[in-house]
């Protein structure tokens, strides 16, 4: 369970890094490109569209990874709970059986 918990911050860091990297790259490209106004506008629109597509893809991958982690973690939690409940039921049944043996009259003496 600790492995899945530690992977959640990694996914968030990856998505954040992708977003920040995309923004930095777009800003550097805009500031360093010697173009006319209309060319610059077209370039900005294209880069924004590309960046949005990359961000959507990164978010989809992050969502997939998060859903998988949640599913795995919830499955482990359910299995652990089932195991503990079964153990408690076996212990309780054994205890009841032992008490029932002590309540029966001894039919062998006689």
């Amino acid at each position: 369970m600790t492995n899945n918990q530690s992977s959640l911050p990694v996914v968030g860091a990856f998505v954040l890094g992708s977003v920040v990297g995309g923004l930095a790259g777009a800003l550097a490209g805009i500031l360093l490109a010697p173009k006319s106004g209309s060319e610059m506008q077209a370039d900005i629109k294209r880069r924004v569209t590309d960046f949005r597509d990359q961000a959507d893809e990164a978010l989809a991958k992050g969502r997939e990874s998060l859903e998988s982690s949640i599913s795995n973690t919830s499955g482990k939690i359910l299995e652990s709970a089932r195991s503990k409940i079964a153990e408690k039921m076996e212990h309780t049944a054994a205890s009841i059986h032992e008490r029932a043996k002590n309540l029966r009259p001894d039919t062998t003496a006689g």
Side-chain angles (χ1 to χ4, degrees), residues 4-68:
N4 285 334
Q5 288 176 342
S6 66
S7 68
L8 295 178
V10 172
V11 171
F14 173 76
V15 171
L16 179 62
S18 296
V19 170
V20 170
L23 286 174
L27 182 61
I30 289 170
L31 294 176
L32 299 175
K35 297 181 181 179
S36 69
S38 61
E39 289 176 335
M40 182 65 81
Q41 287 179 353
D43 193 34
I44 290 171
K45 286 179 185 178
R46 182 182 54 79
R47 288 178 188 254
V48 166
T49 301
D50 290 347
F51 175 71
R52 185 181 59 223
D53 292 344
Q54 289 174 356
D56 287 345
E57 184 178 323
L59 287 172
K61 286 181 182 178
R63 182 180 294 124
E64 265 181 39
S65 179
L66 181 61
E67 288 173 352
S68 175

